[in-house]
Amino acid sequence: MKAKVTAHARYIIADIDKRLYGSFLEHMGRAVYTGIYEPGHPQADDTGMRQDVLELVRELDTPICRYPGGNFVSAYNWEDGIGPKDQRPTRLDLAWRTSESNQVGIHEFADWAEKANTEMMLAVNLGSRGLDEARAFLEYVNHPGGTYWSDLRRDNGRAEPWNVKTWCLGNEMDGPWQVGHKTADQYGHLANEVAKAMRGYQKDLELVVCGSSGPGMSTYPQWESTVLEHTYENVDLISLHMYFENYEKNTAEYLALPEKLDSYIGTISGVIDFIKSKNRAKNDVKISFDEWNVWYHNRKDDMEKLSTWDWPFAPPLLEDVYNFEDVLQVGCILNTFIRRSDVVRVACIAQLVNVIAPIMTAPNGDAWRQTIFYPFQFASAHGRGTALRLDVDCAGYASDVASNVSYLDISGVHNADAGTLTFFAINRHGDEALDVDVAIDGFGTVKSVTHTLIKHDDLNAVNTQAAPNTVTPKNGDGARLDDGKLTLTLPPYSYSMFNVQL
């Protein structure tokens, strides 16, 4: 098969916010306990944090990490996670029907985030709690001293404030499963009052209001419209969530789902523009896509467990083992975010460790990279700069979510400082290779090009503790530069990254 792509220096989308490659940690399953934190592990440091996990997190280079939830936050008392550890209460977590020891709280997470080279993106509880608790949490985290909450932080061992800028106003409040679920009007009013109070303390906070938990919600997209009518002038971002499934084992339909993601983003972008005009507002609200990932491998079985188990502590939960097919899906999702980077400024893969995650651990054992680790790592490392508006000419196929899904899914990023162009390309065709003629205009002379390939003949191939390198990147030979003309070859069902040196 043949395809054509044109990249022109003047045809750009936006400068990419580095937080497009953010992450998420929730007190859920083994994400925290035996995930990032395991005192007594051979690789644990003096605070109990696993250094082997930290090394892998630093490889991913996630600039921001959302915490502590997720559904967990909607019945969470942040005060339970401060003070001497032997005096912290054990609570029942209503979201996942587990027990929470509170051995990891804001102090421990903040220390971990510093070691992981990531900023904190904190969520306040607007389910079972409200304005006063959010205001107190903000004061505890950000105020230098001389007040009750800031002095309590200092007494607990942290003299300097953390100065967290980005705050989520609750989580998935449109969901009937959420503790403290509210209507759009109820939530919009509460979120606006909380936003005003938080801004009363610190005007330059970046506040994220809850959008839809997914495009399949019955209230979508009216939820966004109503909530933004209440909050538009007092928030900066609206959160969206989406997970990707392949219960039918239909690869073509599965790999078409990012078209639904693109439509979701486009619809909410339109809602934002509508409310901005309706409210005669001057500020711009963008999108924080702060939960996304493939989630279906263990989902049904684990959902049954949740209704029967008796409040276990840090049990294995939603520990999806990702396969090679998921590499292609995650690559397409990341490409969609790059192509929508003018409106999507923050995105957080959910989650980071063990729970539907790119990193897995064994208690008192190894840590290893799942298959999806690699496309995320490549995008995070090489997808920073200016997103290009590529002109793509390629055949496609019809699916349930779109009438013409291109066999070539591709994004391009220009890093002027490094003097590079990077193309992330997925061949959605299972039988035929794609030969892609690439015209590069306005960037100067192309000096060289390298190809990194992820390819496996078995779509179900996985990385495990016993065989952690079954699916890994390798040097490819699919890039040809002849008299300034660039041709790329993508094998069937493959993920490729092409680095062009200018």
Side-chain angles (χ1 to χ4, degrees), residues 51 197 279 331 350 394 471 485:
Q51 297 176 80
N279 287 14
C394 182
V471 178
K485 294 182 179 179

Side-chain angles (χ1 to χ4, degrees), residues 127-410:
S128 65
R129 309 186 86 184
L131 194 155
D132 269 353
E133 292 81 6
R135 183 168 61 91
F137 192 21
L138 173 61
E139 184 181 313
Y140 187 91
V141 169
N142 279 14
H143 198 63
T147 66
Y148 174 81
W149 290 111
S150 61
D151 284 347
L152 182 59
R153 182 197 70 241
R154 296 171 69 92
D155 291 343
N156 286 332
R158 173 73 185 195
E160 297 300 317
W162 289 294
N163 293 318
V164 173
K165 180 181 179 182
T166 307
W167 294 78
C168 301
L169 304 177
N171 172 75
E172 291 186 354
M173 299 308 299
D174 64 325
W177 59 82
Q178 203 71 213
V179 173
H181 162 65
K182 296 170 176 61
T183 66
D185 273 313
Q186 290 170 336
Y187 170 69
H189 175 75
L190 174 62
N192 191 54
E193 293 306 310
V194 173
K196 289 192 299 183
M198 294 178 77
R199 285 252 167 90
Y201 168 75
Q202 188 173 338
K203 294 189 186 314
D204 65 347
L205 292 178
E206 186 178 48
L207 302 180
V208 187
V209 71
C210 291
S212 289
S213 303
M217 297 296 292
S218 62
T219 52
Y220 160 83
Q222 184 59 51
W223 172 276
E224 282 82 359
S225 179
T226 301
V227 167
L228 285 175
E229 276 198 77
H230 284 281
T231 63
Y232 192 95
E233 287 85 351
N234 291 312
V235 299
D236 303 279
L237 299 154
I238 185 165
S239 74
L240 301 181
H241 296 171
M242 185 174 175
Y243 293 97
F244 299 78
E245 305 166 348
N246 188 20
Y247 290 113
E248 295 77 17
K249 303 300 181 183
N250 186 324
T251 302
E253 289 294 339
Y254 179 51
L255 296 182
L257 289 176
E259 298 291 320
K260 186 176 182 180
L261 169 64
D262 184 75
S263 177
Y264 185 19
I265 294 168
T267 296
I268 301 308
S269 178
V271 172
I272 292 170
D273 289 344
F274 169 67
I275 297 301
K276 179 180 180 179
S277 296
K278 183 176 181 180
N279 287 14
R280 306 300 193 265
K282 295 181 179 179
N283 60 307
D284 290 318
V285 171
K286 301 294 185 180
I287 291 171
S288 172
F289 218 107
D290 47 41
E291 284 189 35
W292 69 268
N293 207 344
V294 173
W295 180 13
Y296 77 95
H297 292 286
N298 295 335
R299 187 171 187 170
K300 290 182 178 179
D301 290 343
D302 282 353
M303 289 299 104
E304 291 180 8
K305 289 181 187 177
L306 288 176
S307 63
T308 58
W309 64 22
D310 190 21
W311 310 99
F313 172 71
L317 177 62
L318 302 180
E319 297 193 2
D320 281 26
V321 177
Y322 291 116
N323 58 31
F324 169 65
E325 183 182 56
D326 299 324
V327 171
L328 307 179
Q329 179 67 282
V330 168
C332 291
I333 295 167
L334 289 163
N335 278 351
T336 304
F337 290 148
I338 290 171
R339 293 191 296 261
R340 287 287 191 173
S341 56
D342 54 335
V343 291
V344 180
R345 305 304 288 167
V346 179
C348 302
I349 189 170
Q351 292 187 20
L352 188 58
V353 184
N354 287 330
V355 178
I356 50 171
I359 298 169
M360 291 296 294
T361 72
N364 203 41
D366 298 330
W368 64 97
R369 303 166 187 83
Q370 291 237 57
T371 62
I372 65 169
F373 182 98
Y374 297 106
F376 187 94
Q377 181 190 30
F378 292 159
S380 179
H382 302 281
R384 304 190 188 192
T386 301
L388 301 176
R389 194 174 302 280
L390 304 177
D391 182 72
V392 180
D393 182 6
C394 182
Y397 64 95
S399 76
D400 290 343
V401 297
S403 60
N404 185 26
V405 180
S406 175
Y407 284 114
L408 173 62
D409 187 276
I410 188 168

